[in-house]
């Protein structure tokens, strides 16, 4: 009754101030090709019949808007019109939009078709297919997303989730069957190598994302047909576009839930300068302590952006992202085999990372140029001891103390000349990698008679390398056949001063071409082909054997050839259907000399990938097709549906391609959302993945080494020969907003896996324990032997059915 009374009181209060509450929207309109401000552009809210035009600086502002969800239409003579859906106006924060218009295509009856195409999708002349865009509202309201962009994009076509070893608790992004380290991420043109907390070094995934959703204008994902300006991309390019801080007033928001507290502040610093700043603190460790789990993850993250207009043609952007992560453990109050396995097998993680950058943009005749400087650093400390006896060097299993530092300079020129779209540029990086590594792969084991059963195998080295990296690119495009046919071609080459042959630009020549043809009204046929290269991770390059030799200097760039074809159907401005087929052929993939497997199978677990000797002789093939349907918000409804069928295979030392760890075969998802009256919103998401391949244990080696390794030993001679059950789950989210005079309150309930589906994951190898979990049970009743010969092996079921409710609120002020 008390909860009902409080709810009724809050509702009555909101109704009492109804007549006083209004919101506003402001923003800037620019020419996408020239980056120059556009004046006399019409900005319209059809639902309220309010409109205005932009001034000489491209700026606009509409005030006195009733808080609710709107469609925003932007139009100007000679430019492609843009329609923005699901734009929420509140009384708490003034909405700030940055909108880019492209010159309209002329000389074709289907001008309207091409115009609509650009408002509905993220396609461009360079990337006419395999591209998706999410707005900030689509990210915020995603059921089960918990404001985490890495989880939200898993509903897009071709995007798989986490690996089978850890179930659904990580943000590993698997694009069209590729490895999780094949993706690159750019924040306002600055590359950010780490976007997840507790990141796997040498890969990319982690349990939760770093980026603040409140900063984002939109996110663009390209899974093929990459623009030549992007280096090191084999599977995808993510472009995060941040909004600018509000130029008119100071404002912000606070978000509080059971797992975190986050705050964002923005506003003007001067007439030509604005800022955004945020900080977030996790309280996951308190939640896990309350439910008696032995893990204690905690993190901080920070983000800022400062925008300064130097003059009418020149602007400067400063940005930064950073995180501090601590993953520790505590003994559970009530022990169980599963909890004790976590304590024995998992190592504490202490990480911090940051990226800071500056970008200078200047308009020039027929275009603009960008000059950016950035620095990123990743510090990783992982230690593990037998019996968790920290500090006892005689019991050390693992000790990783590593840093990766990149200092980057990028310059590009972008022009439009007589119908030609031209871009070219260069980049240079100074890279430094420090790696102090100790890993006990096998401990010396003797039987009761003192006979040697297994010799010790230990990796122990210190490495400090530094070198330069370089890159050059050019991209040109033009429309033909009365603008029905669009063609774009690019060329790129990358070099480095570390690997043998790394300074030969001919070794990484990567051409690419894309085409788009308007078949008929609302139908477009698209295709692309390209060759892409990626430098192997720094963990591989800095690896030394126990004699101190850098044994991986002969590592080649990983190579991937893409071939993609697809069609797009746009029956309405807010509705989109795509069908695509893709084929990717890999070569020069790193293969473990010790284990004989492709490193493309790794990266879906905590730890480090690449601290070992490799040969780049591996191959791989992924192919499949995707279907995607999208309905933007109209008549209160919005939704997406995607289905991908694919095959993913990689080879090891034997040269035989077999199923990779990411070969789920089937990915299906749909999102449904409905906006009710009085600012209620309901969202539902369903996800399905085919069973992930897993590798069985080597039972003999596992029994012999469990007490000194804390987990089972995979039998790589049977790599990925078993398969987990299919995965499926559904998430639901309910939002309710109250708009007061100068503030907005948003209450939300987000339930992950609301019907408690089991989460299939690989089993865990351990030894049987006694009833109170204080000791291992043995076959002879004696103390367990170091070689495990009298132990009773046990495989723990690792399939949980966990419902995770998140209740929280957001206050805008």
């Amino acid at each position: 009754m008390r909860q009902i009374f409080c709810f009724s009181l809050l509702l009555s209060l909101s109704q009492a101030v109804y007549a006083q509450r209004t919101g506003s929207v402001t923003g800037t309109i620019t020419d996408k090709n020239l980056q120059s401000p556009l004046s006399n552009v019409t900005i319209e809210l059809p639902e309220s019949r309010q409109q205005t035009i932009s001034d000489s600086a491209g700026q606009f502002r509409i005030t006195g808007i009733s808080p609710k969800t709107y469609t925003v239409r932007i139009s100007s003579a000679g430019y492609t019109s843009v329609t923005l859906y699901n734009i929420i106006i509140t009384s708490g924060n003034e909405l700030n939009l940055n909108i880019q218009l492209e010159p309209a295509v002329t000389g074709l009856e289907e001008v309207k078709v091409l115009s609509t195409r650009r408002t509905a999708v993220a396609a461009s002349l360079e990337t006419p297919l395999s591209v998706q865009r999410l707005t900030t509202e689509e990210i915020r309201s995603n059921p089960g997303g918990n404001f985490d962009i890495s989880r939200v994009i898993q509903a897009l076509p071709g995007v798989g989730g986490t690996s089978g070893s850890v179930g659904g608790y990580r943000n590993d992004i698997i694009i069209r069957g590729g490895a999780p380290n094949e993706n690159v991420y750019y924040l306002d043109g600055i590359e950010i190598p780490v976007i997840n907390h507790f990141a796997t070094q040498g890969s990319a995934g982690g349990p939760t994302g770093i980026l603040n959703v409140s900063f984002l204008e939109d996110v663009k994902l390209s899974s093929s047909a990459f623009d030549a300006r992007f280096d090191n991309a084999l599977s995808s390019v993510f472009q995060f576009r941040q909004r600018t801080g509000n130029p008119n007033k100071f404002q912000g928001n606070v978000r509080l839930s059971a797992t975190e507290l986050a705050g964002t502040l923005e506003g003007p610093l001067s007439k030509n300068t604005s800022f955004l700043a945020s900080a977030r603190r996790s309280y996951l460790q308190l939640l896990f302590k309350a439910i008696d789990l032995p893990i204690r993850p905690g993190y901080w993250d920070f983000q800022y952006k400062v925008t300064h207009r130097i003059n009418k043609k020149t602007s400067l952007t400063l940005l930064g992202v950073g995180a501090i992560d601590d993953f520790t453990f505590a003994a559970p109050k009530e022990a169980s085999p599963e909890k004790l396995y976590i304590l024995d097998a998992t190592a504490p993680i202490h990480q911090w990372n940051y990226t800071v950058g500056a970008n200078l943009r200047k308009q020039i005749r027929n275009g603009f140029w960008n000059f950016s400087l950035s620095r990123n650093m990743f510090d990783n400390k992982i230690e593990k001891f037998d019996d968790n006896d920290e500090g006892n060097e005689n019991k050390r299993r693992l000790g990783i103390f590593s840093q990766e530092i990149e200092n980057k300079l990028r310059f590009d020129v972008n022009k439009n000349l007589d119908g030609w779209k031209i871009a070219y540029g260069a980049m240079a990086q100074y890279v430094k990698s420090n790696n102090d590594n100790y890993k006990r792969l096998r401990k010396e084991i003797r039987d009761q008679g003192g006979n040697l059963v297994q010799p010790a195998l230990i990796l122990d080295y210190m490495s400090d390398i530094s070198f330069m990296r370089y890159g050059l690119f050019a991209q040109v495009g033009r429309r033909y056949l009365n603008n029905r046919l669009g063609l774009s071609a690019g060329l790129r080459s990358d070099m480095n001063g570390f690997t043998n042959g790394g300074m030969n630009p001919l070794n990484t020549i990567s051409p690419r071409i894309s085409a788009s043809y308007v078949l008929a009204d609302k139908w477009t046929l698209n295709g692309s082909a390209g060759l892409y290269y990626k430098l192997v991770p720094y963990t591989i390059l800095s690896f030394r054997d126990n004699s101190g030799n850098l044994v991986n200097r002969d590592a080649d760039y990983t190579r991937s050839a893409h071939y993609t074809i697809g069609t797009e159907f746009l029956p309405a401005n807010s509705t989109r259907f795509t069908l695509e087929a893709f084929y990717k052929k890999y070569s020069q993939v790193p293969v473990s000399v010790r284990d004989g497997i492709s490193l493309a199978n790794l990266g879906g677990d905590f730890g480090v990938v690449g601290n070992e000797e490799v040969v780049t002789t591996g191959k791989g093939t992924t192919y499949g097709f995707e279907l995607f349907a999208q309905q933007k918000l109209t008549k209160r409804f919005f939704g997406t549906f995607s289905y991908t069928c694919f095959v993913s295979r990689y080879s090891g030392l034997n040269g035989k391609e077999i199923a990779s760890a990411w070969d789920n075969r089937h990915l299906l998802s749909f999102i449904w959302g409905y906006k009710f009256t009085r600012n209620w919103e309901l969202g539902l998401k369903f996800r399905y993945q085919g069973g992930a391949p897993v590798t069985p244990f080597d039972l003999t080696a596992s029994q012999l080494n469990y007490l000194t390794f804390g987990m089972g030993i995979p039998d790589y001679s049977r790599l990925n020969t078993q398969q987990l059950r299919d995965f499926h789950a559904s998430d639901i989210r309910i939002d309710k907003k109250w708009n007061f005079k100068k503030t907005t309150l948003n209450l939300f309930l987000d339930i992950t896996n609301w019907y408690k589906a089991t989460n299939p994951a690989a089993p865990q190898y351990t030894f049987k324990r006694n009833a109170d979990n204080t000791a291992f049970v043995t076959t002879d009743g004696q103390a367990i032997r170091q070689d495990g010969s009298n132990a009773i092996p046990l495989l723990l079921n690792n399939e949980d059915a966990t419902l995770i409710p998140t209740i929280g609120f957001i206050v805008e002020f």
Side-chain angles (χ1 to χ4, degrees):
M1 289 297 295
R2 181 176 299 174
Q3 290 87 346
I4 296 175
F5 173 76
C6 292
F7 180 85
S8 300
L9 180 62
L10 189 59
L11 183 60
S12 300
L13 179 61
S14 67
Q15 291 173 337
V17 297
Y18 181 87
Q20 300 174 335
R21 59 190 182 126
T22 61
S24 58
V25 59
T26 188
T28 304
I29 313 294
T30 57
D31 183 305
K32 184 177 182 179
N33 294 337
L34 304 178
Q35 291 298 300
S36 57
L38 294 177
S39 61
N40 296 315
V41 177
T42 300
I43 301 93
E44 178 187 7
L45 306 178
E47 292 87 351
S48 66
R49 298 182 180 180
Q50 292 171 281
Q51 67 176 39
T52 188
I53 60 173
S54 59
D55 61 21
S56 60
Q59 297 176 349
F60 70 90
R61 193 181 191 196
I62 304 176
T63 60
I65 307 171
S66 297
K68 64 176 185 178
T69 301
Y70 290 88
T71 297
V72 180
R73 293 176 183 168
I74 304 96
S75 59
S76 180
Y79 285 89
T80 299
S81 298
V82 169
T83 302
L84 303 178
Y85 298 93
N86 202 7
I87 301 300
I88 297 179
I89 303 297
T90 67
S91 59
N93 282 176
E94 181 176 67
L95 182 64
N96 188 23
L97 301 174
N98 293 287
I99 302 162
Q100 297 180 337
L101 299 184
E102 288 189 86
V105 178
T106 58
L108 176 66
E109 289 184 2
E110 288 86 350
V111 168
K112 184 177 180 180
V113 176
L114 295 177
S115 172
T116 301
R117 188 174 190 273
R118 283 177 171 74
T119 61
V121 301
S124 64
L125 185 62
E126 299 82 7
T127 309
L129 76 171
S130 302
V131 59
Q132 310 291 338
R133 172 170 284 154
L134 292 173
T135 66
T136 182
E137 186 56 34
E138 289 170 330
I139 298 168
R140 288 179 183 178
S141 61
N142 186 276
N146 199 25
F147 306 97
D148 190 340
I149 180 59
S150 298
R151 291 191 180 274
V152 173
I153 63 99
Q154 292 178 19
L156 296 177
V159 184
T162 52
S163 69
S165 61
V166 293
Y169 301 108
R170 285 172 53 90
N171 283 347
D172 303 290
I173 300 173
I174 315 301
I175 307 289
R176 292 179 170 177
N181 66 353
E182 296 178 6
N183 314 302
V184 295
Y185 312 92
Y186 285 83
L187 185 68
D188 287 343
I190 302 293
E191 185 178 5
I192 49 172
V194 180
I195 67 166
N196 286 301
H197 290 283
F198 310 105
T200 300
Q201 190 175 3
S203 187
T208 188
I210 293 174
L211 298 180
N212 185 347
V213 172
S214 296
F215 275 52
L216 298 181
E217 188 94 54
D218 58 44
V219 179
K220 181 178 177 181
L221 165 63
S222 304
S223 51
S224 194
F226 308 133
D227 192 310
R229 71 182 68 239
F230 301 116
D231 62 300
N232 251 28
L234 295 182
S235 281
S236 77
V237 175
F238 284 82
Q239 298 176 67
F240 302 97
R241 188 165 67 99
Q242 298 183 111
R243 60 188 183 86
T244 58
N246 192 286
N248 303 313
K249 65 174 184 176
F250 289 97
Q251 60 183 32
N253 66 69
V254 174
R255 184 174 77 243
L256 177 66
S257 70
T259 59
E260 65 182 21
L261 172 65
T264 301
L265 187 65
E266 63 178 296
L269 293 176
S270 68
K271 180 180 178 181
N272 297 318
T273 309
S274 64
F275 80 97
L276 278 164
S278 73
R280 178 172 59 158
R281 176 72 167 100
S282 162
Y283 294 104
L284 282 171
Q285 66 272 32
L286 301 180
L287 174 64
F288 291 152
K289 181 179 180 180
I291 61 178
D292 198 29
L293 284 179
I295 58 176
R296 298 290 186 271
Y299 59 80
W300 287 85
D301 57 49
F302 313 91
Q303 195 168 337
Y304 73 86
K305 178 182 179 180
V306 177
T307 306
H308 176 63
R309 179 164 291 278
I310 299 174
N311 53 49
K312 290 184 178 181
K313 293 187 176 182
T314 311
S315 62
L316 174 67
T317 300
L318 307 176
L319 60 84
V321 180
I324 303 171
D325 303 331
D326 284 296
F327 194 104
T328 57
F329 299 87
K333 295 178 181 178
E334 296 184 10
S336 69
E338 292 78 10
K339 294 177 183 178
L340 295 176
Y341 175 87
I342 294 174
L343 286 176
D344 288 343
T346 313
I349 302 172
H350 306 281
Q351 294 180 354
W352 55 263
N353 70 83
Y354 68 82
T355 299
V356 293
N359 184 77
L360 186 67
R361 173 171 291 178
K362 183 176 177 61
Q363 300 169 34
I364 57 177
R365 186 178 180 183
N366 299 316
F368 63 96
W369 56 253
N370 291 302
F371 177 80
S372 64
L373 289 171
S374 66
R375 174 182 171 90
N376 55 264
M377 185 171 181
F378 176 75
D379 186 281
N380 192 22
K381 178 183 177 182
I382 305 176
E383 293 185 280
K384 187 65 178 177
F385 299 85
D386 293 339
D387 304 319
N388 292 310
D389 189 2
E390 294 188 17
N392 188 339
E393 292 300 323
N394 293 325
K395 293 187 176 183
R396 181 180 288 277
R397 292 183 194 169
L398 180 67
I400 295 175
F401 309 90
S402 62
Q403 292 182 331
E404 294 179 358
I405 306 166
E406 295 176 317
N407 301 279
K408 304 175 183 179
L409 181 153
R410 296 179 185 271
F411 181 76
D412 59 78
V413 178
N414 307 268
K415 287 192 172 186
N416 286 266
L417 298 172
D418 297 325
W420 289 90
K421 191 174 182 180
I422 302 170
Y424 56 90
M427 73 90 175
Q429 298 184 32
Y430 174 69
V431 175
K432 187 173 178 62
S433 177
N434 308 316
N435 202 343
D436 183 354
N437 188 293
Y438 176 94
K439 186 174 185 180
R440 188 180 70 203
L441 298 173
R442 301 286 187 272
K443 188 175 182 179
E444 181 182 291
I445 297 178
R446 296 181 180 271
D447 61 18
Q448 288 181 302
N451 300 309
L452 182 66
V453 177
Q454 174 181 271
L457 178 58
I458 294 174
L459 291 177
D460 189 5
Y461 67 91
M462 294 183 64
S463 188
D464 181 357
I465 65 172
S466 59
F467 59 95
M468 292 294 297
R469 293 175 58 184
Y470 307 94
L472 300 168
F473 83 91
Q475 186 96 27
V476 296
R478 186 182 175 91
R479 296 193 179 275
Y480 298 91
L481 303 180
N482 202 25
N483 290 316
R484 281 185 175 272
L485 174 66
L487 292 177
S488 182
L491 190 67
R492 182 177 184 91
S493 178
D494 291 282
M495 297 153 281
N496 77 87
F498 181 81
T499 62
N500 297 328
M503 287 303 293
N504 185 349
L506 300 180
N507 289 340
T508 56
I509 290 291
S510 56
R512 71 278 317 267
I513 187 171
S514 59
S516 176
Y517 186 77
V518 179
L519 293 171
D521 183 24
K522 304 176 183 178
W523 283 95
T524 308
L525 179 66
N526 308 297
S528 70
L531 188 60
Y532 310 104
Y533 288 90
K534 179 186 184 301
L535 185 66
V536 297
Y538 298 138
T539 51
I540 292 177
L541 298 181
S542 64
F543 174 77
R544 296 178 186 265
D545 61 19
N546 288 345
S547 299
N549 300 311
L550 291 165
V551 297
N552 292 326
R553 279 188 175 271
D554 288 330
D556 294 315
Y557 282 75
T558 306
R559 180 180 185 269
S560 181
H562 288 209
Y563 307 94
T564 311
I565 189 171
T567 185
E568 182 178 61
F569 175 54
L570 296 161
N573 192 33
S574 59
T575 309
R576 176 189 179 213
F577 296 91
T578 65
L579 176 64
E580 294 185 10
F582 61 90
Y583 180 88
K584 299 194 292 185
K585 187 65 178 178
Y586 292 86
S587 59
Q588 301 173 184
V589 180
V591 174
S592 169
V593 172
R594 181 182 67 239
D595 298 323
I597 68 169
S598 172
L599 265 62
N601 288 287
L602 307 179
D605 208 339
F606 299 99
V608 175
V609 175
N611 282 347
E612 59 181 303
E613 183 178 358
V614 303
V615 291
T616 49
T617 58
K619 298 180 180 180
T621 306
T622 72
Y623 58 89
F625 70 89
E626 300 169 352
L627 174 65
F628 181 63
Q630 182 179 34
Q631 174 63 54
K632 292 285 189 178
L633 180 68
T634 55
K635 297 181 180 180
R636 300 186 179 273
F637 164 78
F638 62 93
T640 65
F641 171 86
S642 70
Y643 170 71
T644 305
C645 178
F646 72 99
V647 172
S648 174
R649 304 170 69 86
Y650 286 93
S651 70
L653 283 179
N654 62 8
K656 181 181 178 181
E657 291 189 9
I658 61 173
S660 78
W662 327 112
D663 190 32
N664 299 87
R665 297 297 174 97
H666 301 282
L667 304 172
L668 183 147
S669 70
F670 75 80
I671 296 175
W672 173 90
Y674 192 85
K675 289 181 178 288
F676 297 90
T677 58
R678 298 185 179 274
N679 292 319
W680 285 93
E681 183 175 342
L682 174 66
L684 180 70
K685 178 169 67 177
F686 176 80
R687 296 163 290 147
Y688 169 85
Q689 287 187 177
V694 292
T695 301
F697 293 111
D698 182 328
L699 297 180
T700 301
S702 296
Q703 185 166 1
L704 186 64
N705 290 278
Y706 175 76
L707 292 180
T708 60
F709 204 58
M711 62 182 68
I713 307 296
D715 184 357
Y716 287 128
S717 68
R718 296 186 290 162
L719 178 70
N720 297 331
T721 55
Q722 296 182 359
Q723 191 172 28
L724 299 175
R725 293 187 304 104
D726 295 353
F727 165 82
H728 59 87
S730 182
D731 311 320
I732 190 169
R733 181 183 174 99
I734 301 172
D735 283 82
K736 167 62 178 173
K737 291 184 176 69
W738 289 271
N739 286 284
F740 302 98
K741 186 175 181 180
K742 293 184 178 180
T743 59
T744 297
L745 173 64
N746 181 8
L747 296 182
F748 62 87
L749 171 63
D750 201 336
I751 305 175
T752 301
N753 193 19
W754 62 270
Y755 62 79
K756 295 191 68 173
T758 57
N759 191 6
Q764 300 166 336
Y765 183 97
T766 186
F767 290 159
K768 186 177 180 180
R769 299 177 183 268
N770 59 16
D772 57 4
N773 293 296
T774 57
F776 291 111
V777 176
T778 59
T779 56
D780 56 9
Q782 303 298 313
I784 193 167
R785 301 188 189 114
Q786 187 64 28
D787 63 3
S789 57
N790 64 340
I792 302 176
L794 176 68
L795 292 181
L796 296 175
N797 188 307
N798 195 20
E799 297 188 354
D800 295 326
T802 306
L803 181 151
I804 305 176
T806 301
I807 303 174
F809 65 83
I810 304 170
V811 178
E812 297 179 359
F813 56 88

